[in-house]
Coordinates of all heavy atoms in Angstrom, one line a residue:
L285 N 64.3 -6.9 -16.8 CA 64.7 -6.7 -18.2 C 65.0 -7.9 -18.9 O 64.7 -8.2 -20.1 CB 65.9 -5.7 -18.2 CG 65.6 -4.3 -17.7 CD1 66.9 -3.5 -17.7 CD2 64.6 -3.5 -18.5
R291 N 63.0 -4.6 -24.6 CA 63.4 -3.7 -23.5 C 63.8 -2.4 -24.0 O 64.7 -2.3 -24.8 CB 64.5 -4.4 -22.7 CG 64.2 -5.7 -22.1 CD 64.4 -6.9 -23.0 NE 65.6 -6.9 -23.8 CZ 66.7 -7.4 -23.4 NH1 66.9 -7.9 -22.2 NH2 67.8 -7.4 -24.2
N299 N 71.9 3.7 -13.6 CA 72.6 2.4 -13.5 C 71.7 1.2 -13.8 O 70.6 1.2 -13.2 CB 73.2 2.3 -12.1 CG 74.3 3.2 -11.8 OD1 75.2 3.4 -12.6 ND2 74.3 3.8 -10.6
I300 N 72.2 0.3 -14.6 CA 71.5 -0.9 -14.9 C 72.5 -2.1 -14.7 O 73.6 -2.0 -15.2 CB 71.0 -0.9 -16.3 CG1 69.9 0.2 -16.5 CG2 70.4 -2.2 -16.7 CD1 69.4 0.5 -17.9
G301 N 72.1 -3.1 -13.9 CA 73.0 -4.2 -13.7 C 72.7 -5.0 -12.5 O 71.7 -4.7 -11.8
L323 N 72.4 -12.2 -21.6 CA 73.5 -11.2 -21.7 C 74.5 -11.7 -22.8 O 74.7 -12.9 -23.0 CB 74.2 -11.0 -20.4 CG 73.4 -10.3 -19.3 CD1 74.3 -10.2 -18.1 CD2 72.9 -8.9 -19.7
R324 N 75.1 -10.7 -23.4 CA 76.2 -11.0 -24.4 C 77.3 -11.6 -23.6 O 77.6 -11.3 -22.4 CB 76.6 -9.8 -25.1 CG 75.6 -9.3 -26.1 CD 76.1 -8.1 -26.9 NE 75.1 -7.8 -28.0 CZ 74.1 -7.1 -27.8 NH1 73.8 -6.5 -26.7 NH2 73.2 -6.9 -28.8
M337 N 78.2 -2.3 -13.0 CA 77.0 -1.6 -13.4 C 77.2 -0.9 -14.7 O 78.3 -0.4 -15.0 CB 76.6 -0.6 -12.3 CG 76.4 -1.2 -10.9 SD 75.2 -2.6 -10.9 CE 73.7 -1.6 -11.1
F338 N 76.1 -0.7 -15.5 CA 76.2 -0.2 -16.8 C 75.3 1.1 -16.9 O 74.3 1.1 -16.3 CB 75.7 -1.2 -17.9 CG 76.6 -2.4 -17.9 CD1 76.2 -3.5 -17.1 CD2 77.7 -2.5 -18.7 CE1 77.0 -4.7 -17.1 CE2 78.4 -3.7 -18.7 CZ 78.1 -4.8 -17.9
D339 N 75.8 2.1 -17.7 CA 74.9 3.2 -18.1 C 74.0 2.6 -19.2 O 74.2 1.5 -19.7 CB 75.7 4.4 -18.5 CG 76.6 4.2 -19.7 OD1 76.4 3.2 -20.5 OD2 77.5 5.0 -20.0
P340 N 73.0 3.4 -19.6 CA 72.0 2.9 -20.5 C 72.6 2.4 -21.8 O 72.3 1.3 -22.3 CB 71.1 4.1 -20.7 CG 71.0 4.8 -19.4 CD 72.5 4.7 -19.0
Q341 N 73.6 3.1 -22.4 CA 74.3 2.7 -23.6 C 75.0 1.4 -23.4 O 75.0 0.5 -24.2 CB 75.2 3.8 -24.2 CG 75.8 3.4 -25.5 CD 74.7 3.1 -26.6 OE1 73.8 3.9 -26.8 NE2 74.9 2.0 -27.3
G342 N 75.7 1.3 -22.2 CA 76.5 0.1 -21.9 C 75.5 -1.1 -21.7 O 75.8 -2.2 -22.0
A343 N 74.3 -0.8 -21.1 CA 73.3 -1.8 -20.9 C 72.8 -2.3 -22.2 O 72.5 -3.5 -22.4 CB 72.2 -1.3 -20.0
L344 N 72.7 -1.4 -23.2 CA 72.3 -1.8 -24.5 C 73.3 -2.8 -25.1 O 73.0 -3.8 -25.7 CB 72.1 -0.6 -25.4 CG 71.7 -0.7 -26.9 CD1 70.3 -1.3 -27.0 CD2 71.9 0.6 -27.6
D345 N 74.6 -2.4 -25.0 CA 75.6 -3.2 -25.6 C 75.7 -4.6 -24.8 O 76.0 -5.6 -25.5 CB 77.0 -2.5 -25.4 CG 77.0 -1.2 -26.3 OD1 76.2 -1.1 -27.3 OD2 77.8 -0.4 -26.0
A346 N 75.4 -4.6 -23.5 CA 75.6 -5.8 -22.7 C 74.4 -6.8 -23.0 O 74.6 -8.0 -22.8 CB 75.6 -5.5 -21.2
G347 N 73.3 -6.3 -23.4 CA 72.1 -7.2 -23.6 C 71.0 -7.0 -22.6 O 70.0 -7.7 -22.7
F348 N 71.1 -6.0 -21.7 CA 70.0 -5.7 -20.8 C 68.8 -4.9 -21.6 O 67.7 -5.0 -21.2 CB 70.4 -4.8 -19.7 CG 71.2 -5.5 -18.6 CD1 72.6 -5.4 -18.6 CD2 70.6 -6.4 -17.7 CE1 73.3 -6.1 -17.6 CE2 71.3 -7.0 -16.7 CZ 72.7 -6.9 -16.7
L349 N 69.2 -4.2 -22.6 CA 68.2 -3.3 -23.3 C 68.3 -3.6 -24.8 O 69.4 -4.1 -25.3 CB 68.5 -1.8 -23.1 CG 68.4 -1.3 -21.6 CD1 68.8 0.1 -21.6 CD2 66.9 -1.4 -21.2
D350 N 67.2 -3.3 -25.5 CA 67.2 -3.4 -27.0 C 67.2 -2.1 -27.6 O 67.5 -2.0 -28.8 CB 66.0 -4.2 -27.4 CG 66.0 -5.6 -26.9 OD1 66.9 -6.4 -27.3 OD2 65.0 -6.0 -26.2
V352 N 67.5 2.5 -26.7 CA 67.6 3.6 -25.7 C 67.0 4.9 -26.4 O 67.4 5.2 -27.5 CB 69.0 3.8 -25.2 CG1 69.1 5.1 -24.3 CG2 69.6 2.6 -24.5

Side-chain angles (χ1 to χ4, degrees):
L285 296 173
R291 299 82 47 86
N299 289 319
I300 296 173
L323 291 177
R324 289 186 172 84
M337 304 302 289
F338 299 89
D339 62 17
Q341 185 59 49
L344 178 68
D345 296 337
F348 285 103
L349 297 172
D350 296 301
V352 176

